[in-house]
């Protein structure tokens, strides 16, 4: 497998790890499979190497990822601010995973950014904010942060075997971030998946927990979402809106709308999909595209967000009535109307 980073960078990592006893690994708000997979996989590995490890995320992860945190060790900042602050204070090293900047940790970001420990970034998004970190492992030429973590660990200690639990966690991030190997897949991604599989990754458990363990409410909400896809054929776009009223009616829990953003893309002739989820004080906007349509440009310019070329997100003001108008305005800048 190609080396993703220079030996020099990995040597620096080794130096830092050698002198770091207490390590805090942190990820983004509304953590997904890649975020929790990276925390769990890297966390287990570093513990095995003798480090004291604390895992933190700003807000809770969805129920379907609980299998990656069987002992409920992940600290959730919004519930345990004091414990996170203490762990940050005591840490020698902070590793930020699956974020391009501390700003993606939102309310937890300032605490991390202003803290004293040495800071390492491990991420696969564009435009990492390098000056926030002392050491940066960043590449967009990987499927996911979990793939990147694996490749760093392999370079660091090529002879150390990954355990079944570590492999399961890392493969979860690869499977979820690639939408089951459909997007952002590189030749090396399959090599990594193969090695994780050989290490005992439990693919059956991953698929059953992530894709076949839904609540009845989630299935019914999915039905609503499918019934209510709105099409903008001129823009080759389909979109879905879930208002607070609808979410309440279906007993929404975090993670229940996971993957819904992809539904419109399954319609013939649709190249862009948008998904709007009304939160307490804003509307979360998720964007996906096929081919050469850069949705990250509109996420950045119109929705105060960002992300990958074909998968990005942001937010807009809490006014559902404005959604279609805002969406058309944004789409008009990246899609030539015929
Ligand atoms: P999702 O729609 O799955 O929440 O997010 C899609 C992608 O957009 C994520 O993988 C992440 O890279 C990026 N993203 C999500 N929210 C934000 C945001 O608020 N700011 C930026 N810069 N990127 C985001
Ligand atoms: Mn990711």
């Amino acid at each position: 497998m190609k080396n993703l980073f220079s030996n020099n960078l990995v040597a620096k990592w080794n130096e830092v790890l050698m002198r770091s006893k207490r390590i805090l690994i942190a990820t983004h708000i509304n953590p997904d499979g890649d975020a929790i997979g990276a925390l769990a996989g890297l966390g287990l590995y570093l513990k095995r190497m003798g480090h004291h490890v604390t895992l933190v995320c700003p807000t809770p992860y969805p129920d379907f990822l609980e299998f990656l945190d069987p002992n409920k060790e992940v600290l959730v900042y919004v519930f345990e601010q004091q414990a996170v602050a203490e762990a940050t204070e005591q840490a020698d090293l902070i590793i930020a995973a699956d974020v391009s900047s501390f700003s993606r940790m939102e309310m937890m970001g300032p605490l991390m950014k202003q803290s004293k420990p040495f800071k390492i970034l491990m991420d696969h998004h564009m435009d990492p904010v390098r000056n926030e970190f002392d050491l940066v492992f960043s590449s967009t030429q990987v499927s996911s942060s979990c793939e990147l973590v694996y490749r760093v660990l392999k370079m660091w200690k090529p002879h150390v075997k990954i355990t079944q639990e570590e492999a399961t966690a890392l493969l979860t991030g690869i499977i979820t971030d690639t939408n089951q190997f459909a997007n952002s897949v590189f030749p090396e991604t399959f090599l990594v998946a193969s090695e994780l599989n050989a290490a005992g990754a439990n693919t059956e458990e991953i698929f059953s927990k992530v894709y076949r363990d839904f609540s009845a409410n989630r299935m019914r909400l999915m039905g609503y979402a499918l019934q209510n896809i709105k099409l903008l054929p001129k823009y080759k776009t389909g979109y879905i809106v879930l208002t607070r009223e609808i979410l309440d009616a279906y007993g929404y829990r975090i993670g229940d709308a996971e993957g819904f953003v992809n539904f419109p893309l399954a319609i013939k002739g649709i190249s862009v999909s948008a998904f709007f989820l009304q939160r307490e004080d804003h509307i979360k906007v998720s964007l996906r595209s096929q081919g050469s349509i850069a949705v990250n440009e509109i996420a950045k310019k119109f929705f105060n967000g960002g992300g990958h070329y074909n998968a990005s997100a942001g937010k807009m003001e809490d006014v559902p009535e404005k959604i279609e108008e805002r969406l058309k305005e944004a789409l008009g800048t990246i899609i030539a109307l015929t």
Side-chain angles (χ1 to χ4, degrees):
M1 197 179 308
K2 279 199 301 261
N3 282 342
L4 198 53
F5 300 106
S6 70
N7 290 323
N8 185 29
L9 190 60
V10 177
K12 281 189 193 149
W13 157 277
N14 182 55
E15 243 170 67
V16 178
L17 268 288
M18 285 304 186
R19 60 167 197 257
S20 302
K21 180 85 193 85
R22 300 182 79 90
I23 303 174
L24 182 141
I25 314 177
T27 190
H28 56 81
I29 188 165
N30 305 314
D32 56 7
D34 192 29
I36 298 300
L39 251 59
L42 180 60
L44 286 167
Y45 185 98
L46 293 178
K47 271 190 206 171
R48 197 152 59 85
M49 296 302 123
H51 301 274
H52 178 281
V53 177
T54 308
L55 308 176
V56 300
C57 48
T59 56
Y61 56 78
D63 294 347
F64 68 82
L65 293 173
E66 270 173 4
F67 75 109
L68 298 180
D69 182 25
N71 303 319
K72 299 252 182 310
E73 285 173 48
V74 175
L75 293 177
V76 177
Y77 180 74
V78 290
F79 301 144
E80 292 160 289
Q81 283 190 34
Q82 191 58 35
V84 175
E86 278 165 22
T88 310
E89 176 77 19
Q90 291 164 2
D92 313 308
L93 168 64
I94 291 181
I95 301 175
D98 203 34
V99 295
S100 52
S101 134
F102 283 116
S103 66
R104 286 282 290 128
M105 301 183 185
E106 301 222 353
M107 63 293 262
M108 191 175 83
L111 170 71
M112 297 288 140
K113 191 175 166 179
Q114 289 152 22
S115 65
K116 290 198 199 83
F118 195 90
K119 299 180 186 73
I120 299 182
L121 177 67
M122 301 184 91
D123 181 50
H124 69 125
H125 294 95
M126 295 198 297
D127 307 323
V129 182
R130 291 177 183 270
N131 63 13
E132 292 183 345
F133 302 93
D134 301 297
L135 210 58
V136 173
F137 291 90
S138 168
S139 170
T140 55
Q141 301 301 300
V142 288
S143 62
S144 54
S145 296
C146 281
E147 179 182 336
L148 184 144
V149 163
Y150 178 80
R151 292 174 68 174
V152 172
L153 295 179
K154 275 316 265 189
M155 279 191 77
W156 182 32
K157 293 183 188 288
H159 302 298
V160 170
K161 281 210 177 90
I162 299 283
T163 66
Q164 175 165 35
E165 287 74 26
E166 291 155 12
T168 300
L170 294 176
L171 189 57
T172 300
I174 295 176
I175 290 173
T176 54
D177 251 29
T178 60
N179 190 16
Q180 302 175 60
F181 297 104
N183 326 116
S184 331
V185 168
F186 297 82
E188 309 282 322
T189 308
F190 290 109
L191 293 179
V192 172
S194 166
E195 291 189 15
L196 292 172
N197 189 249
N202 193 340
T203 40
E204 214 168 284
E205 182 180 34
I206 297 170
F207 278 96
S208 76
K209 296 290 187 203
V210 178
Y211 300 108
R212 295 196 284 271
D213 201 20
F214 298 165
S215 66
N217 275 344
R218 172 169 150 99
M219 288 305 277
R220 296 201 171 95
L221 183 65
M222 193 184 291
Y224 174 89
L226 289 167
Q227 288 280 356
N228 289 278
I229 294 175
K230 296 202 174 68
L231 295 177
L232 302 173
K234 271 208 307 197
Y235 296 88
K236 302 183 178 63
T237 296
Y239 73 96
I240 297 170
V241 178
L242 297 183
T243 60
R244 274 196 294 271
E245 197 183 350
I246 292 299
L247 296 172
D248 288 346
Y250 287 86
Y252 174 81
R253 284 177 60 79
I254 294 166
D256 278 358
E258 199 72 34
F260 288 13
V261 63
N262 296 306
F263 295 156
L265 281 185
I267 298 172
K268 191 170 177 166
I270 294 298
S271 306
V272 179
S273 76
F275 176 67
F276 298 85
L277 183 81
Q278 193 176 22
R279 293 231 175 96
E280 237 156 67
D281 58 354
H282 68 271
I283 297 173
K284 159 90 191 279
V285 183
S286 281
L287 300 162
R288 299 291 186 271
S289 66
Q290 271 158 0
S292 57
I293 301 173
V295 283
N296 57 342
E297 275 178 26
I298 58 173
K300 198 164 165 187
K301 202 158 149 209
F302 292 89
F303 300 110
N304 193 26
H308 312 279
Y309 194 91
N310 294 122
S312 51
K315 15 174 113 142
M316 63 173 271
E317 68 274 26
D318 190 12
V319 188
E321 298 73 31
K322 286 197 181 164
I323 286 174
E324 186 161 315
E325 181 195 326
R326 294 287 310 278
L327 181 61
K328 282 182 173 169
E329 184 193 356
L331 291 169
T333 65
I334 52 164
I335 294 176
L337 296 180
T338 47

